[in-house]
Structures are given as structure tokens and as C-alpha cells.
Amino acid sequence: QWRWVCIVSLPLTCSMQESNHHKMYDIMPSIRFTLLRYWEHILVLVLIGVPCSSLRWHLRKSREHFVKTISHHEQQQVATTRYRFRKMLIPCTKMKQRGASEPKGKGDIDKLLSWGLLENTMPRDSVSIGPSTISTSSGNGLFVTKSLQRGETILTVPSDKIISIENAWDDANLGDAFMYLTDVGGPGAKLATLAGFVAKEASGGIANIFQGQDDSPNVSDWQPYLDCLPRAGALDHHVLFWSHEKVERLLQGSNIYDEVISMRDQVDLATENIKAIFWNHYQETTYPTDGNDLDEEKVDEAIEIAVRSAFCILLSRAFEDEEVDCMKLIPLLDMTQHSSQNANIRHWTDPATGNVLVTAKRDLQAGEELFNCYSDTLKPQQFFSAFGFVPIKSSLSVIELLESKNPVFFPIENG
């Protein structure tokens, strides 16, 4: 069996050099060369009759040598290529079709507030949205419109308005691919899967990403909510959109440097795998009839921006989904501002319905802004890497805190 695996795999590896559908199988020349040496070494061992017990040891050592000889970026391409070959060899099982999508709206606040009135569980008259009282740079906040007593329900967000990883798994077009990514992706794969789904939905579908359509017929079931989320241009403050030079200049030597580098690397790897998923689907449904005129670099850039934006949205707005050990986006609730001292709401998920209920933590007055405690365990600097702000009282911006080597980010030198 070992011999047949290697004999079949070697020409498969060589075939990567001449593939016309290069987006499916492309691989850096340096990786291709190293892979060929790797398989040739295994093939020689098999043909000379090395016992299986010894062969496994050689396989492990050869793989370790292979990984050491390529760069981190090339390792990302190997992971992406491994996924593409897996997709090529395993037939796709069609998922059930989703229901009809809602008409595309303006994305204004009124439509978001009236989005759930059919179920009478997200009442428009219970809350309002307006500029936050924290500061002029804090954006919008959520306000209660009538006086409530402690423990009263402010609003209930229906389960079908929440975006979770289960929606990605049930997606009519990419559900199988997302499920596979979750199964084989290792730590962080669930968040990457959810980011891929959010990127797809927020972009109006795969066709919209590849063809740049302004009015795609594939409108998301969550369109009124997605239209209110920040776009790439409004997310430039997040470290995922910083240039490498900016990260090195501002964060080198800080107490979050390693964390930010690790996060950016993980997002880079996830982005490459999501690119592979999107390209595979587009080529299976459209290529080559509409694919010859594509500006592939532009498409890759569009996917990358969409995925990075999705990661920023999830990191800064999502809530824990303990049922599936992932995150989930909860419309309206994610518009509450953070306060560790003045949090005045609680939220919990009804296990019977999946609805999220938001209740008053104390008596509330009409017109009062609602505050939620994002985390009581994160350190101030960790708030920055996740949410993009630091929960401290200061007249300085985050950039100014970094440029001045503020102790929040930089250890105080002793002596």
C-alpha cells in the first residue's frame, strides 16, 4: 500500500507544474522543487523495501526537513494547496437550498430596528440608536426608550437574526467546504470558517466578489444588519489592516507585539484557505465561461479585504457561542458600548429557542445609554488587539499612547 501511494502521488505532485487552472493548483517553484525531492526520497525508500516501521520514521523526518526549508509564507501556500487537492479528490455533497432572501435595503438604522417586527421579539419602540455619550469618536450607542425596572426584558433578538457558525455549515453553496475547513483547520478554524461566511454574506455572494457587481441578486438574509456594519475603510484603525512597517514601528518591544504578530499570521493563513474555497466554488460554477477576463490580482485583493473586514467585525463585535465553542454576531446587542464599571444590562441565550434576551441589570431611565462589559479578564492592551481601543481614561489616542511608549503598552524599565 505504501508503494502504491508513493507511485501515484509522485506524478500527481509533478502535474502541479503544468496545470492550466493555476488558481486550483498553483504552488511556488521553490515549494514544487522541495516537494519533488521529498517524494523522490520516499519513493526510493519504498522501492528498496524499507520496512513500514522504519518508513514511518523516515516520513516524519522528511516532513520536518521539508517544513524547515520553506518560509512561513510558503507554508501557508502548502496548507492552501493541501486543501485544494482534498477538494479535488473528495466529491461535494449538495446541501439543501436556503429560502428566498429579503430585498436589499438601504442599511439605515430604521430598517435595522424594524427588521424583527414580524416575530414581535425585536420591538422597535424599546430601544433607539444614536451617538454614544462616551465620546464623539466612539460612534453610535444603544439607548433604552422607556423606564425599566431591574430584571425587565429590554429586547429579545430572534435566533434566525443571529449569525453563527451553524449558518456557515448550512450554507447552500459553501456549506461542505466550510464544514471541511472546520474539521481539518485546527485551533482557530471555527472562527476562520465564520469569517469566511461573514465575508461572503457581507459582499453579496461569491459572484459579486469575482465580478464586482453593484447590485447582486444574491442578497443575504441578514442584509439589514450587514449594511450597518463598518466597511474596510472604517476599519483601518484595527491592527489587521496595519502595514508591516506600521506594526514594527509602533508595536516593536510592546507587551502585545507577539500577540498581534501571531494573530495577523493566523488571519493570513485563514485568508489563503478562504481564498481557495471561494476560487474553487467560482471555478466549479462559472469557470471558464466567465473566468478568462478576470483580473485575478484584483479578485484576490477583494477577497483579502472582505475576509480581513470579517475578522475585524468578529473580533470587535462577536459574542461567545458556548454551544458550538465559537463566536456569534448578535444584531443590536453588538451596538452597546463597553463599560466595566457602569454595565447596566445582562444577556443570555434561551436554550429552548436560541433567542438572546437582554435584560436590565438595574433600574433604567428613559433615554439612558445601555452599556455592556466586553470582558472582565482582558488586560487593557489586549482590548486594543481585539476591539481596537484601550479602556483607560486618557486624552491621548491609541496611536499617541504607542508613540509615547506609554506603560499600558511598554514595560517600565527598572533602575
Side-chain angles (χ1 to χ4, degrees), residues 352-395:
T353 63
N355 296 341
V356 173
L357 286 78
V358 182
T359 60
K361 191 174 180 179
R362 57 170 175 77
D363 292 348
L364 298 174
Q365 300 299 316
E368 190 172 348
E369 184 170 4
L370 301 177
F371 292 100
N372 186 28
C373 180
Y374 292 1
S375 173
D376 53 9
T377 58
L378 290 179
K379 297 177 181 179
Q381 68 270 17
Q382 292 176 313
F383 266 79
F384 169 67
S385 57
F387 303 109
F389 70 92
V390 181
I392 62 172
K393 292 183 179 180
S394 175
S395 59

Short mmCIF file of all heavy atoms in Angstrom, two decimals, residues 352-395:
data_model
loop_
_atom_site.label_atom_id
_atom_site.label_comp_id
_atom_site.label_asym_id
_atom_site.label_seq_id
_atom_site.Cartn_x
_atom_site.Cartn_y
_atom_site.Cartn_z
N ALA A 352 -34.01 26.84 24.80
CA ALA A 352 -35.13 26.21 24.09
C ALA A 352 -35.33 26.80 22.70
O ALA A 352 -35.67 26.09 21.75
CB ALA A 352 -36.41 26.36 24.91
N THR A 353 -35.10 28.12 22.57
CA THR A 353 -35.38 28.79 21.29
C THR A 353 -34.13 29.28 20.58
O THR A 353 -34.15 29.52 19.37
CB THR A 353 -36.31 29.98 21.53
OG1 THR A 353 -35.63 30.94 22.37
CG2 THR A 353 -37.60 29.54 22.19
N GLY A 354 -33.03 29.48 21.32
CA GLY A 354 -31.84 30.07 20.74
C GLY A 354 -31.89 31.58 20.69
O GLY A 354 -30.93 32.24 20.26
N ASN A 355 -33.02 32.17 21.11
CA ASN A 355 -33.14 33.63 21.15
C ASN A 355 -32.22 34.20 22.24
O ASN A 355 -31.98 33.56 23.26
CB ASN A 355 -34.57 34.05 21.44
CG ASN A 355 -35.54 33.63 20.35
OD1 ASN A 355 -35.13 33.33 19.22
ND2 ASN A 355 -36.82 33.60 20.69
N VAL A 356 -31.72 35.41 22.01
CA VAL A 356 -30.90 36.09 23.00
C VAL A 356 -31.74 37.16 23.69
O VAL A 356 -32.30 38.04 23.02
CB VAL A 356 -29.65 36.72 22.36
CG1 VAL A 356 -28.90 37.58 23.36
CG2 VAL A 356 -28.73 35.63 21.81
N LEU A 357 -31.85 37.08 25.00
CA LEU A 357 -32.63 38.03 25.78
C LEU A 357 -31.70 39.02 26.46
O LEU A 357 -30.68 38.63 27.04
CB LEU A 357 -33.47 37.31 26.84
CG LEU A 357 -34.70 36.52 26.33
CD1 LEU A 357 -34.29 35.20 25.73
CD2 LEU A 357 -35.69 36.32 27.47
N VAL A 358 -32.04 40.28 26.37
CA VAL A 358 -31.28 41.35 27.01
C VAL A 358 -32.15 41.95 28.10
O VAL A 358 -33.27 42.41 27.84
CB VAL A 358 -30.87 42.43 26.00
CG1 VAL A 358 -30.03 43.51 26.67
CG2 VAL A 358 -30.12 41.81 24.83
N THR A 359 -31.66 41.93 29.33
CA THR A 359 -32.43 42.41 30.48
C THR A 359 -31.69 43.53 31.20
O THR A 359 -30.47 43.69 31.05
CB THR A 359 -32.71 41.27 31.47
OG1 THR A 359 -31.47 40.73 31.93
CG2 THR A 359 -33.52 40.17 30.79
N ALA A 360 -32.43 44.28 32.00
CA ALA A 360 -31.85 45.40 32.77
C ALA A 360 -31.14 44.86 34.00
O ALA A 360 -31.71 44.10 34.78
CB ALA A 360 -32.94 46.38 33.16
N LYS A 361 -29.91 45.27 34.18
CA LYS A 361 -29.12 44.86 35.34
C LYS A 361 -29.50 45.68 36.58
O LYS A 361 -29.29 45.25 37.72
CB LYS A 361 -27.63 45.03 35.02
CG LYS A 361 -26.69 44.40 36.00
CD LYS A 361 -25.25 44.52 35.50
CE LYS A 361 -24.27 43.88 36.47
NZ LYS A 361 -22.87 43.98 35.96
N ARG A 362 -30.06 46.86 36.33
CA ARG A 362 -30.55 47.74 37.39
C ARG A 362 -31.69 48.56 36.81
O ARG A 362 -32.03 48.42 35.63
CB ARG A 362 -29.43 48.67 37.89
CG ARG A 362 -28.78 49.51 36.81
CD ARG A 362 -27.87 50.56 37.39
NE ARG A 362 -27.14 51.31 36.38
CZ ARG A 362 -27.64 52.29 35.63
NH1 ARG A 362 -28.93 52.63 35.74
NH2 ARG A 362 -26.89 52.93 34.76
N ASP A 363 -32.31 49.38 37.64
CA ASP A 363 -33.38 50.25 37.13
C ASP A 363 -32.80 51.20 36.08
O ASP A 363 -31.71 51.76 36.26
CB ASP A 363 -34.01 51.06 38.26
CG ASP A 363 -34.79 50.19 39.24
OD1 ASP A 363 -35.02 49.01 38.91
OD2 ASP A 363 -35.15 50.68 40.33
N LEU A 364 -33.53 51.39 34.99
CA LEU A 364 -33.08 52.24 33.90
C LEU A 364 -34.09 53.36 33.65
O LEU A 364 -35.31 53.16 33.75
CB LEU A 364 -32.92 51.42 32.61
CG LEU A 364 -31.87 50.29 32.63
CD1 LEU A 364 -31.95 49.48 31.34
CD2 LEU A 364 -30.47 50.86 32.82
N GLN A 365 -33.56 54.54 33.33
CA GLN A 365 -34.39 55.68 32.99
C GLN A 365 -34.52 55.80 31.47
O GLN A 365 -33.60 55.45 30.72
CB GLN A 365 -33.79 56.97 33.56
CG GLN A 365 -33.65 56.96 35.07
CD GLN A 365 -34.99 56.81 35.79
OE1 GLN A 365 -35.97 57.46 35.40
NE2 GLN A 365 -35.03 55.96 36.81
N ALA A 366 -35.66 56.30 31.02
CA ALA A 366 -35.86 56.50 29.58
C ALA A 366 -34.76 57.40 29.01
O ALA A 366 -34.41 58.41 29.60
CB ALA A 366 -37.24 57.12 29.34
N GLY A 367 -34.21 57.01 27.88
CA GLY A 367 -33.14 57.77 27.24
C GLY A 367 -31.75 57.40 27.72
O GLY A 367 -30.75 57.95 27.22
N GLU A 368 -31.63 56.47 28.64
CA GLU A 368 -30.32 56.10 29.18
C GLU A 368 -29.59 55.18 28.20
O GLU A 368 -30.20 54.29 27.59
CB GLU A 368 -30.49 55.40 30.52
CG GLU A 368 -29.20 55.19 31.29
CD GLU A 368 -29.43 54.67 32.70
OE1 GLU A 368 -30.60 54.69 33.17
OE2 GLU A 368 -28.44 54.25 33.34
N GLU A 369 -28.28 55.41 28.06
CA GLU A 369 -27.49 54.55 27.18
C GLU A 369 -27.22 53.20 27.85
O GLU A 369 -27.00 53.12 29.06
CB GLU A 369 -26.16 55.21 26.80
CG GLU A 369 -25.35 54.38 25.81
CD GLU A 369 -24.14 55.09 25.23
OE1 GLU A 369 -23.87 56.25 25.66
OE2 GLU A 369 -23.47 54.50 24.36
N LEU A 370 -27.25 52.16 27.04
CA LEU A 370 -27.01 50.81 27.53
C LEU A 370 -25.54 50.46 27.39
O LEU A 370 -24.95 50.68 26.32
CB LEU A 370 -27.88 49.81 26.76
CG LEU A 370 -29.39 50.04 26.83
CD1 LEU A 370 -30.13 49.03 25.97
CD2 LEU A 370 -29.88 49.98 28.28
N PHE A 371 -24.96 49.91 28.45
CA PHE A 371 -23.55 49.53 28.44
C PHE A 371 -23.39 48.05 28.79
O PHE A 371 -24.12 47.52 29.63
CB PHE A 371 -22.75 50.37 29.45
CG PHE A 371 -22.64 51.83 29.09
CD1 PHE A 371 -23.46 52.78 29.67
CD2 PHE A 371 -21.72 52.23 28.14
CE1 PHE A 371 -23.37 54.11 29.34
CE2 PHE A 371 -21.61 53.57 27.78
CZ PHE A 371 -22.43 54.51 28.39
N ASN A 372 -22.44 47.45 28.12
CA ASN A 372 -22.15 46.04 28.34
C ASN A 372 -20.68 45.90 28.70
O ASN A 372 -19.84 46.66 28.20
CB ASN A 372 -22.46 45.24 27.07
CG ASN A 372 -22.33 43.75 27.28
OD1 ASN A 372 -22.51 43.24 28.38
ND2 ASN A 372 -22.00 43.04 26.21
N CYS A 373 -20.34 44.97 29.56
CA CYS A 373 -18.93 44.70 29.87
C CYS A 373 -18.41 43.67 28.88
O CYS A 373 -18.82 42.51 28.90
CB CYS A 373 -18.79 44.18 31.31
SG CYS A 373 -17.08 43.82 31.78
N TYR A 374 -17.51 44.11 27.98
CA TYR A 374 -17.00 43.21 26.95
C TYR A 374 -16.21 42.06 27.56
O TYR A 374 -16.29 40.92 27.09
CB TYR A 374 -16.12 43.97 25.97
CG TYR A 374 -16.84 44.96 25.09
CD1 TYR A 374 -18.21 45.17 25.20
CD2 TYR A 374 -16.14 45.71 24.14
CE1 TYR A 374 -18.87 46.08 24.39
CE2 TYR A 374 -16.79 46.63 23.33
CZ TYR A 374 -18.15 46.82 23.46
OH TYR A 374 -18.80 47.72 22.65
N SER A 375 -15.41 42.37 28.57
CA SER A 375 -14.61 41.34 29.23
C SER A 375 -14.12 41.86 30.57
O SER A 375 -13.76 43.03 30.69
CB SER A 375 -13.40 40.95 28.37
OG SER A 375 -12.54 40.08 29.06
N ASP A 376 -14.13 40.98 31.56
CA ASP A 376 -13.57 41.37 32.86
C ASP A 376 -12.25 40.65 33.13
O ASP A 376 -11.74 40.66 34.25
CB ASP A 376 -14.57 41.08 33.99
CG ASP A 376 -15.06 39.64 33.98
OD1 ASP A 376 -14.51 38.82 33.21
OD2 ASP A 376 -16.00 39.33 34.73
N THR A 377 -11.71 40.01 32.10
CA THR A 377 -10.44 39.29 32.25
C THR A 377 -9.32 39.84 31.37
O THR A 377 -8.15 39.68 31.68
CB THR A 377 -10.62 37.79 31.92
OG1 THR A 377 -11.12 37.65 30.58
CG2 THR A 377 -11.61 37.15 32.90
N LEU A 378 -9.68 40.49 30.26
CA LEU A 378 -8.66 41.02 29.36
C LEU A 378 -7.93 42.19 30.00
O LEU A 378 -8.53 43.02 30.70
CB LEU A 378 -9.28 41.47 28.04
CG LEU A 378 -9.81 40.40 27.09
CD1 LEU A 378 -10.40 41.06 25.85
CD2 LEU A 378 -8.71 39.42 26.70
N LYS A 379 -6.63 42.29 29.73
CA LYS A 379 -5.85 43.43 30.16
C LYS A 379 -6.11 44.60 29.19
O LYS A 379 -6.52 44.37 28.04
CB LYS A 379 -4.37 43.07 30.20
CG LYS A 379 -4.03 41.98 31.21
CD LYS A 379 -2.56 41.62 31.15
CE LYS A 379 -2.23 40.51 32.15
NZ LYS A 379 -0.80 40.11 32.09
N PRO A 380 -5.85 45.85 29.62
CA PRO A 380 -6.14 47.00 28.75
C PRO A 380 -5.52 46.89 27.36
O PRO A 380 -6.17 47.20 26.35
CB PRO A 380 -5.57 48.18 29.53
CG PRO A 380 -5.68 47.76 30.96
CD PRO A 380 -5.41 46.28 30.96
N GLN A 381 -4.25 46.43 27.30
CA GLN A 381 -3.60 46.34 25.99
C GLN A 381 -4.23 45.27 25.11
O GLN A 381 -4.21 45.37 23.88
CB GLN A 381 -2.10 46.08 26.15
CG GLN A 381 -1.73 44.71 26.72
CD GLN A 381 -1.64 44.72 28.23
OE1 GLN A 381 -2.15 45.64 28.87
NE2 GLN A 381 -0.98 43.72 28.79
N GLN A 382 -4.82 44.25 25.73
CA GLN A 382 -5.46 43.19 24.94
C GLN A 382 -6.78 43.68 24.35
O GLN A 382 -7.22 43.16 23.31
CB GLN A 382 -5.69 41.96 25.81
CG GLN A 382 -4.40 41.26 26.22
CD GLN A 382 -4.63 40.10 27.17
OE1 GLN A 382 -5.36 40.23 28.15
NE2 GLN A 382 -4.03 38.96 26.87
N PHE A 383 -7.40 44.66 24.99
CA PHE A 383 -8.58 45.28 24.40
C PHE A 383 -8.23 45.89 23.05
O PHE A 383 -9.02 45.85 22.10
CB PHE A 383 -9.14 46.37 25.33
CG PHE A 383 -10.21 45.88 26.25
CD1 PHE A 383 -9.89 45.17 27.39
CD2 PHE A 383 -11.55 46.14 25.98
CE1 PHE A 383 -10.88 44.72 28.26
CE2 PHE A 383 -12.55 45.70 26.83
CZ PHE A 383 -12.22 44.98 27.99
N PHE A 384 -7.04 46.46 22.97
CA PHE A 384 -6.64 47.11 21.72
C PHE A 384 -6.51 46.09 20.59
O PHE A 384 -7.01 46.32 19.48
CB PHE A 384 -5.31 47.84 21.91
CG PHE A 384 -4.70 48.31 20.62
CD1 PHE A 384 -5.31 49.29 19.86
CD2 PHE A 384 -3.53 47.73 20.15
CE1 PHE A 384 -4.76 49.71 18.65
CE2 PHE A 384 -2.97 48.14 18.95
CZ PHE A 384 -3.59 49.13 18.20
N SER A 385 -5.84 44.97 20.83
CA SER A 385 -5.64 43.99 19.76
C SER A 385 -6.94 43.36 19.31
O SER A 385 -7.06 42.96 18.15
CB SER A 385 -4.66 42.90 20.21
OG SER A 385 -5.10 42.27 21.38
N ALA A 386 -7.94 43.29 20.19
CA ALA A 386 -9.21 42.69 19.82
C ALA A 386 -10.23 43.72 19.34
O ALA A 386 -10.80 43.59 18.26
CB ALA A 386 -9.79 41.91 21.01
N PHE A 387 -10.43 44.75 20.16
CA PHE A 387 -11.51 45.70 19.89
C PHE A 387 -11.06 47.00 19.24
O PHE A 387 -11.88 47.75 18.72
CB PHE A 387 -12.24 46.05 21.20
CG PHE A 387 -12.78 44.85 21.93
CD1 PHE A 387 -12.22 44.41 23.11
CD2 PHE A 387 -13.86 44.14 21.41
CE1 PHE A 387 -12.71 43.30 23.78
CE2 PHE A 387 -14.37 43.03 22.06
CZ PHE A 387 -13.79 42.60 23.26
N GLY A 388 -9.76 47.29 19.30
CA GLY A 388 -9.26 48.49 18.65
C GLY A 388 -9.22 49.72 19.54
O GLY A 388 -8.97 50.82 19.07
N PHE A 389 -9.50 49.56 20.85
CA PHE A 389 -9.42 50.70 21.77
C PHE A 389 -8.86 50.20 23.10
O PHE A 389 -8.73 49.00 23.34
CB PHE A 389 -10.80 51.33 21.98
CG PHE A 389 -11.77 50.49 22.76
CD1 PHE A 389 -11.87 50.61 24.14
CD2 PHE A 389 -12.58 49.56 22.13
CE1 PHE A 389 -12.76 49.83 24.87
CE2 PHE A 389 -13.48 48.77 22.85
CZ PHE A 389 -13.56 48.91 24.22
N VAL A 390 -8.51 51.16 23.96
CA VAL A 390 -7.97 50.84 25.28
C VAL A 390 -8.91 51.45 26.32
O VAL A 390 -9.17 52.66 26.30
CB VAL A 390 -6.55 51.40 25.47
CG1 VAL A 390 -6.01 51.03 26.85
CG2 VAL A 390 -5.63 50.88 24.38
N PRO A 391 -9.44 50.64 27.25
CA PRO A 391 -10.41 51.15 28.23
C PRO A 391 -9.76 51.87 29.41
O PRO A 391 -9.87 51.44 30.56
CB PRO A 391 -11.13 49.87 28.68
CG PRO A 391 -10.08 48.82 28.58
CD PRO A 391 -9.24 49.18 27.38
N ILE A 392 -9.08 52.95 29.11
CA ILE A 392 -8.48 53.76 30.17
C ILE A 392 -8.85 55.22 29.93
O ILE A 392 -9.18 55.61 28.80
CB ILE A 392 -6.93 53.62 30.21
CG1 ILE A 392 -6.32 54.12 28.89
CG2 ILE A 392 -6.53 52.19 30.48
CD1 ILE A 392 -4.81 54.20 28.92
N LYS A 393 -8.80 56.02 30.98
CA LYS A 393 -9.07 57.45 30.85
C LYS A 393 -7.79 58.16 30.41
O LYS A 393 -6.80 58.19 31.13
CB LYS A 393 -9.57 58.01 32.18
CG LYS A 393 -10.94 57.50 32.59
CD LYS A 393 -11.42 58.16 33.88
CE LYS A 393 -12.81 57.68 34.26
NZ LYS A 393 -13.30 58.30 35.51
N SER A 394 -7.82 58.69 29.22
CA SER A 394 -6.66 59.40 28.69
C SER A 394 -7.11 60.33 27.58
O SER A 394 -8.03 60.01 26.82
CB SER A 394 -5.62 58.40 28.15
OG SER A 394 -4.55 59.08 27.54
N SER A 395 -6.44 61.46 27.50
CA SER A 395 -6.74 62.41 26.43
C SER A 395 -6.00 62.04 25.15
O SER A 395 -6.22 62.64 24.10
CB SER A 395 -6.34 63.83 26.86
OG SER A 395 -4.94 63.89 27.17
#
